Amino acid sequence: MPAPPPGQTPWGPPPSGFQAPPPPQAQPRNGMGVTALVLGISGVVLGLMVFLFWMSWLPALLALIFGIVGLGHVRKGVATNRGMALTGIVLGVVGLLLAVGGGVFTVSKVTAFADDIREQNEAVEAAEASAEASASAEASASAAAEEARNLTFGETYTYENGLKITVSTPQPFVPDDFAMGHAKGNKALQVTVIAVNDGKKAVDFKTGLPNVRDADGADAELLIDGSGRQKVLTGNLLPGKRSVGKYAYSLPPDAADRIRVEFSPDVMEYDDTIWTGPLK
């Protein structure tokens, strides 16, 4: 078989009416729009979660960027998913707003919580300072009251109910031959307690015996004889009335000359008042 002329196929020219197939079309580049949609959904979901909102800004920002790029591809005709890209942009903006809003909300709550803690601490510190000041004031008042109850012989202490107590300087006492509580050679002394009721109610003397000791702390022994010179403060003292108690005590021969007398009309109701001074 002879070779065909140049420019001709061995099969001859195509039959009349035959059309060549169209060239293949390029695939649409829709990946950016799809990615923008997925990232936008992720950003919104994370933004709605209480503890994960702070992670939503990154996928939301990427969704916004990929969505803009996807729209560019649609305008150039190389992508067909304009709706996906636009939705990704919208969701990206929403995710960013949720991230910013969550951050502002968290900062405000943390600031409020810190303010509450600070206010509570300040309140506690103020209460402690007030308690310390109150305790210091009470201690000062107690010390002042204690100081006021330390007197010298002849001075008068006035209780809140108007009762006035005065202890005179102890005087030497000569017991008779029938004295009890006094050994030969001891020092005998007499303590005089004067009570005046300047209050509006009667005062009940329940324990009217003084406690006597010398400057070294040696206790004096109550001395009782048959002379009838001792008188115990007892019973009710009416308003405006005055009563005198006289008590005899015996001290060892070597007792110090300075005497301490403690007295309370009722140890359950009144604090002891103390008188000190030398013997005559």
Side-chain angles (χ1 to χ4, degrees):
M1 181 176 180
Q8 292 185 2
T9 64
W11 303 281
S16 61
F18 177 80
Q19 295 182 354
Q25 295 182 352
Q27 294 294 325
R29 298 168 59 184
N30 293 335
M32 288 295 180
V34 174
T35 304
L37 179 62
V38 173
L39 289 174
I41 294 174
S42 300
V44 172
V45 172
L46 291 174
L48 293 175
M49 294 183 179
V50 177
F51 299 105
L52 297 177
F53 72 90
W54 56 275
M55 298 176 59
S56 65
W57 70 272
L58 182 58
L61 179 62
L62 293 177
L64 182 62
I65 295 172
F66 286 133
I68 293 173
V69 174
L71 283 181
H73 288 174
V74 172
R75 293 191 187 96
K76 293 178 182 179
V78 295
T80 59
N81 58 346
R82 181 176 183 277
M84 284 187 179
L86 187 59
T87 303
I89 292 174
V90 173
L91 292 178
V93 173
V94 173
L96 289 175
L97 291 177
L98 289 175
V100 173
V104 172
F105 176 80
T106 302
V107 170
S108 64
K109 287 299 182 181
V110 170
T111 302
F113 179 75
D115 291 341
D116 290 341
I117 295 298
R118 185 180 67 254
E119 291 177 358
Q120 292 177 5
N121 291 336
E122 291 176 351
V124 171
E125 291 176 357
E128 291 177 350
S130 177
E132 290 178 359
S134 178
S136 177
E138 290 179 0
S140 298
S142 178
E146 183 71 22
E147 181 66 24
R149 291 198 303 273
N150 283 270
L151 308 174
T152 57
F153 292 127
E155 292 183 337
T156 300
Y157 181 79
T158 303
Y159 291 95
E160 293 181 357
N161 61 356
L163 177 64
K164 294 182 177 181
I165 301 294
T166 305
V167 175
S168 302
T169 302
Q171 302 293 324
F173 182 81
V174 180
D176 61 16
D177 295 336
F178 304 98
M180 298 176 59
H182 179 68
K184 187 176 181 179
N186 280 8
K187 297 177 182 179
L189 56 91
Q190 179 175 277
V191 175
T192 301
V193 179
I194 303 170
V196 177
N197 187 359
D198 282 348
K200 298 181 179 179
K201 295 182 180 180
V203 176
D204 188 14
F205 284 88
K206 295 181 179 179
T207 54
L209 290 177
N211 183 21
V212 181
R213 63 187 65 181
D214 69 357
D216 296 330
D219 289 330
E221 186 174 357
L222 184 65
L223 188 158
I224 301 174
D225 66 1
S227 64
R229 287 173 291 176
Q230 290 84 31
K231 180 183 178 184
V232 178
L233 286 174
T234 186
N236 288 331
L237 181 62
L238 298 176
K241 298 299 182 178
R242 179 177 182 271
S243 182
V244 178
K246 294 184 178 181
Y247 310 87
Y249 290 87
S250 178
L251 283 167
D254 58 349
D257 289 336
R258 192 168 183 83
I259 301 301
R260 172 189 174 101
V261 177
E262 300 177 7
F263 180 80
S264 172
D266 183 353
V267 294
M268 300 299 294
E269 183 175 354
Y270 303 92
D271 292 325
D272 281 336
T273 304
I274 302 169
W275 286 263
T276 57
L279 283 171
K280 278 193 175 182

